[in-house]
Amino acid sequence: MKFSVNQKDLQNSLNYCQGVIEKRSTLAILSNVLLEAKDANLKITATDLDLIFIQNISNIEILEEGETTTSCSVMYDIVRKFNNEKKISFNLVSENKINLESDKSSFNLNCLKASEFPVTEANFRENEFILNSKKLLKLLNKCKFSVSNDETRHYLSGIFLHLTDSEDKKFLTAVATDSHRMAISKTLLSDEINFEPIILPKKTVFQLSSLLDDYDGDVKISNVKSKIKFEFNNSILISKLIDGKFPNYFQVIPKDNQKKLEIDLKLFLTSVDRVASVSLDKKDGVKFSLSKDLLNLSVNNINSGDGKESLNVKFDHELDISFNSRYLIDIASQLDGEKIEIFLKDTGLPALIKDPS
């Protein structure tokens, strides 16, 4: 196997591979990436057995086709330290050695045979649909901060994706909860699609988000039983799904929170952030003292001090209520409009926060 590839293209691919590969894998082959040079393409594959990432780098110079696997982290560390835009030449000198050269640098890396690499690409021809990448990214970003880290309730450690109806319109809806807070986001579908409800694992959500950050276009989504596949640009991400039943989240959405608080989003975000700065532990409560058209924010921490701030708001009642400041900042950071609406009922009861835009 002999080929040359552009440094920047290879670095970008390996960067995504790094996110997929488990750092402390018991199987040596899982620390490696599979390199396949064929038909002027370099195909790079990384997996942790639950998640498979495949990327094609096209129009590369191949002198000799072939395949092998080598350590992702070692190769990434070398490649990112080469000069940008330079060509890197690869040469498989023996079954267990690959040589990398660029400018006056030369490295020999250990290899494992490609036949040992555990990749199976299932047939995903059913249930295909197309979604714009920015719509999908928005859907995930507005929920992912609420995904649970609790290992014991595995069905909460992902985003629940399913179809919902409202006023004869179909939506792809995403929900995530850690049982303290819940985020629900929807995107309107222009076409009728066939999509079974699934729970997308946390790691997949974060990998997919970082891929979508750098891409603007269509994403082809298809799922079969326990797996889902995302195809876009020159990349493919295949993931196992979480096996379990997501709770009936409709039941916990507050139904009769009539006390509406309307605030300028930027002012609210910066005020909560400032007042919370006095607390070393961001889980400290930020207290809302509400009266007609006035919100007094305060944080009091025994170890570090206290902070207060007042905001002009739209509100017609009187109420005292406290929130975890981190939760408020997470939510407010994901809203798009100029305002934030908070629907309240009473001091000890949940609040419903909406993005009016």
Side-chain angles (χ1 to χ4, degrees):
M1 180 167 82
K2 267 188 187 177
F3 64 90
S4 298
V5 61
N6 183 292
Q7 185 275 345
K8 198 176 178 189
D9 293 341
L10 184 59
Q11 185 182 328
N12 286 344
S13 280
L14 293 175
N15 185 27
Y16 293 130
C17 292
Q18 283 284 87
V20 171
I21 284 168
E22 278 300 325
K23 303 293 175 275
R24 295 179 296 278
S25 177
T26 48
L27 285 168
I29 192 77
L30 292 181
S31 303
N32 285 10
V33 281
L34 174 64
L35 302 172
E36 298 170 274
K38 193 181 176 186
D39 303 331
N41 274 315
L42 175 64
K43 185 177 173 188
I44 301 175
T45 308
T47 186
D48 65 356
L49 295 181
D50 288 335
L51 196 56
I52 303 169
F53 171 67
I54 302 165
Q55 187 156 50
N56 278 302
I57 302 174
S58 51
N59 302 325
I60 68 157
E61 201 182 312
I62 298 179
L63 298 172
E64 208 175 292
E65 293 184 345
E67 55 181 21
T68 190
T69 82
T70 190
S71 165
C72 182
S73 57
V74 175
M75 182 161 61
Y76 177 65
D77 213 24
I78 293 167
V79 168
R80 71 190 179 89
K81 290 169 185 170
F82 281 141
N83 282 342
N84 254 354
E85 301 302 333
K86 286 279 181 190
K87 285 266 191 255
I88 303 173
S89 298
F90 283 76
N91 181 14
L92 189 63
V93 283
S94 72
E95 198 174 66
N96 49 18
K97 231 9 138 228
I98 193 166
N99 174 263
L100 278 74
E101 279 187 2
S102 185
D103 275 354
K104 293 172 182 169
S105 311
S106 179
F107 297 87
N108 288 307
L109 306 185
N110 291 345
C111 296
L112 288 170
K113 280 191 291 195
S115 56
E116 291 178 36
F117 200 79
V119 163
T120 52
E121 212 180 315
N123 180 22
F124 283 88
R125 281 288 154 255
E126 299 164 47
N127 304 344
E128 269 187 6
F129 69 97
I130 305 270
L131 195 61
N132 176 271
S133 61
K134 294 304 166 207
K135 272 187 164 187
L136 181 57
L137 182 61
K138 214 178 208 185
L139 197 66
L140 300 175
N141 281 346
K142 285 179 187 294
C143 286
K144 68 183 185 192
F145 58 83
S146 287
V147 172
S148 172
N149 293 316
D150 182 358
E151 298 292 323
T152 57
R153 293 188 292 176
H154 67 284
Y155 52 85
L156 294 184
S157 58
I159 288 182
F160 179 48
L161 283 175
H162 57 299
L163 297 178
T164 55
D165 294 348
S166 177
E167 296 164 6
D168 293 333
K169 289 177 182 164
K170 286 255 190 249
F171 294 88
L172 182 62
T173 301
V175 185
T177 181
D178 57 9
S179 74
H180 300 286
R181 54 178 170 174
M182 180 166 72
I184 304 167
S185 172
K186 298 178 180 188
T187 189
L188 183 64
L189 295 168
S190 46
D191 302 315
E192 189 84 20
I193 66 165
N194 188 4
F195 185 74
E196 292 296 314
I198 61 158
I199 305 172
L200 202 58
K202 184 178 185 173
K203 183 174 175 179
T204 308
V205 168
F206 281 86
Q207 277 307 113
L208 186 55
S209 299
S210 78
L211 283 162
L212 292 171
D213 261 335
D214 301 330
Y215 172 64
D216 193 356
D218 284 341
V219 181
K220 192 195 285 180
I221 304 167
S222 46
N223 70 313
V224 288
K225 283 180 185 164
S226 60
K227 286 182 180 173
I228 190 163
K229 180 180 186 180
F230 300 91
E231 286 182 76
F232 43 94
N233 214 2
N234 302 314
S235 309
I236 295 173
L237 194 68
I238 298 169
S239 170
K240 278 187 182 170
L241 299 169
I242 291 174
D243 185 23
K245 194 170 178 356
F246 199 81
N248 181 357
Y249 67 93
F250 290 109
Q251 290 178 332
V252 295
I253 301 171
K255 299 288 185 289
D256 47 1
N257 286 21
Q258 302 298 337
K259 298 173 182 173
K260 180 181 171 183
L261 167 62
E262 193 179 295
I263 320 172
D264 179 283
L265 178 63
K266 266 202 182 113
L267 286 178
F268 177 73
L269 187 53
T270 51
S271 288
V272 172
D273 202 15
R274 262 197 304 270
V275 171
S277 306
V278 79
S279 157
L280 300 169
D281 180 1
K282 285 285 183 271
K283 288 201 280 290
D284 265 349
V286 54
K287 188 181 177 189
F288 285 30
S289 281
L290 283 153
S291 51
K292 178 151 176 64
D293 294 341
L294 186 68
L295 165 61
N296 289 309
L297 296 166
S298 60
V299 170
N300 196 339
N301 184 285
I302 301 162
N303 301 315
S304 51
D306 59 76
K308 289 184 183 130
E309 199 157 317
S310 294
L311 283 175
N312 292 327
V313 297
K314 272 175 92 172
F315 192 67
D316 270 341
H317 312 268
E318 287 197 5
L319 183 67
D320 287 348
I321 191 166
S322 292
F323 293 101
N324 175 324
S325 59
R326 180 78 264 149
Y327 289 179
L328 291 177
I329 291 165
D330 283 346
I331 293 166
S333 304
Q334 286 305 329
L335 302 193
D336 297 322
E338 291 177 2
K339 298 259 188 272
I340 179 171
E341 291 177 349
I342 305 176
F343 295 84
L344 304 157
K345 188 176 182 187
D346 218 337
T347 301
L349 295 172
L352 181 65
I353 301 176
K354 288 187 179 181
D355 181 350
S357 72

